[in-house]
Amino acid sequence: MQTALITGSAGFIGYHLAARLLAAGWRVIGLDCLSPYYDVTLKQRRHAMLAQTPGFTPVIGKLEDPGRLMGLFEDHQPDAVVHLAAQAGVRHSIDAPRDYLEANLIGSFELLEAARAHPPKHLLMASTSSAYGANTEMPFEERQQADHQMSFYAATKKANESMAHSYAHLYALPVTMFRFFTVYGPWGRPDMALFKFTKAMLAGQPIDVYNHGRMSRDFTYIDDLVTGITGLIAAVPGAEPVPEQDSLSPVAPFRVVNIGASKPTPLMDYIAALEDALGCKAQKNMMEMQAGDVPATWADTSLLSALTGYQPQVGVAEGVARFAAWYRDYYRI
């Protein structure tokens, strides 16, 4: 039986990934600190559902606690490590940057040190589409230069990429960084737009629409994202590029891979899909662009497809409807 260590296992993505691996017969060690950044009850419910499977071992604690990760690596010798735990959110990083310093930089350093001492077969670490920052050439492709991040959150994730590359080079540690593109779906994060929009619309309250709705996102349904991650576990970076467009480093077993739908959707179309799913119209409070935000994202997923055969399956209309159904059931509305 293979063992995976997942950090952030009580989070939105971590929960879905752990459930997928458990169903495939993996043993999963799940580390999460149950941060109060959003409703802790939601995180506890996710962990409780995972705990119904005998192969799941929950561990409550912070990444940045000295020795925490080192002990987990030593005790469990994981075959694959998927590092998802982080302080998330572009806007929150403006108000509380130290949270990002501690969780995203110090926490990731502790993880890299543990992986150096007890190397897994593959270390996979979450980055973000926000790493592309001020880039305007679309779709975003992994070999593009990405040096102008627009938020401290994005800066910490881009720093994680550089930190991981150095460890991959120095210690021959196979590392894949994946850049997520606006993930949504059931059991999602309450700070994300879809969650906020649904809550407000069902309460008859207006929703805040930034940049007067002139935005688009490469919305990625959670099941498709997890398919991308699980496919990458077996795509261990080696010494030679695999496809022609490979982002493989010339000096390390390290690559960066986009995971998205490869289909940007205008924000107003996303809202329209939610209106259809909920059966009510949104009252729109048109706002200026928020600091640290970008007007558009669009993933080139050619590399992911070449490495894993990935093809997204769930479109926005279906994905939003699934989320709306989950929300009504969870909150009994």
Side-chain angles (χ1 to χ4, degrees):
M1 179 182 292
Q2 296 190 92
T3 298
L5 169 62
I6 299 176
T7 69
S9 53
F12 171 38
I13 297 169
Y15 158 69
H16 283 278
L17 176 62
R20 181 79 65 89
L21 291 178
L22 288 166
W26 284 69
R27 175 172 170 257
V28 175
I29 313 302
L31 173 65
D32 204 290
C33 72
L34 303 181
S35 161
Y37 170 61
Y38 65 79
D39 183 11
V40 174
T41 302
L42 194 60
K43 300 179 181 184
Q44 291 170 333
R45 286 283 299 276
R46 296 183 188 126
H47 249 195
M49 289 188 296
L50 293 174
Q52 293 174 11
T53 302
F56 180 68
T57 301
V59 179
I60 306 304
K62 290 185 175 182
L63 294 169
E64 57 268 35
D65 290 343
R68 171 81 65 182
L69 283 161
M70 191 69 75
L72 288 177
F73 274 71
E74 184 175 1
D75 292 344
H76 299 286
Q77 300 291 320
D79 299 286
V81 176
V82 186
H83 179 39
L84 297 166
Q87 178 56 60
V90 169
R91 298 177 184 102
H92 185 64
S93 70
I94 297 171
D95 300 323
R98 184 170 293 277
D99 292 349
Y100 295 75
L101 170 69
E102 293 173 353
N104 299 5
L105 296 181
I106 298 175
S108 294
F109 164 74
E110 293 287 345
L111 178 108
L112 289 167
E113 278 290 281
R116 177 179 67 83
H118 305 281
K121 295 176 183 176
H122 195 181
L123 171 59
L124 302 99
M125 297 176 61
S127 188
T128 172
S129 62
S130 297
Y132 289 105
N135 288 18
T136 57
E137 181 182 346
M138 295 198 188
F140 293 146
E141 195 262 336
E142 294 90 346
R143 293 173 297 175
Q144 290 179 13
Q145 191 169 349
D147 292 333
H148 303 108
Q149 285 71 51
M150 305 282 279
S151 68
F152 189 61
Y153 163 69
T156 62
K157 300 303 275 187
K158 187 61 167 61
N160 284 167
E161 294 182 9
S162 297
M163 293 162 63
H165 181 272
S166 71
Y167 272 68
H169 168 69
L170 291 169
Y171 309 113
L173 183 65
V175 178
T176 296
M177 304 288 314
F178 33 76
R179 292 174 176 167
F180 297 159
F181 283 72
T182 314
V183 189
Y184 72 101
W187 294 97
R189 284 186 5 225
D191 63 319
M192 297 292 284
L194 184 59
F195 215 109
K196 289 181 174 180
F197 289 169
T198 301
K199 181 179 180 179
M201 288 168 63
L202 290 175
Q205 298 171 350
I207 63 173
D208 291 338
V209 181
Y210 293 100
N211 202 34
H212 299 273
R214 296 188 294 271
M215 302 179 75
S216 67
R217 289 288 183 270
D218 197 337
F219 293 106
T220 310
Y221 190 69
I222 183 62
D223 289 0
D224 288 331
L225 178 85
V226 169
T227 296
I229 298 173
T230 55
L232 285 172
I233 290 175
V236 182
E240 299 293 334
V242 178
E244 182 179 346
Q245 73 273 34
D246 205 339
S247 63
L248 185 72
S249 166
V251 295
F254 173 96
R255 63 163 57 97
V256 175
V257 184
N258 290 335
I259 306 182
S262 198
K263 184 181 179 182
T265 299
L267 177 59
M268 299 307 289
D269 290 358
Y270 192 60
I271 294 171
L274 182 58
E275 290 175 328
D276 289 343
L278 296 178
C280 61
K281 289 294 182 181
Q283 305 170 47
K284 303 176 187 71
N285 182 23
M286 296 300 188
M287 310 277 286
E288 297 297 323
M289 178 74 86
Q290 276 205 322
D293 215 342
V294 296
T297 63
W298 178 5
D300 181 331
T301 58
S302 301
L303 176 56
L304 178 62
S305 296
L307 292 170
T308 70
Y310 171 86
Q311 293 293 332
Q313 300 297 311
V314 181
V316 164
E318 181 182 353
V320 168
R322 290 185 188 181
F323 172 82
W326 168 82
Y327 188 98
R328 287 184 183 276
D329 179 67
Y330 184 78
Y331 291 102
R332 304 185 184 279
I333 296 175

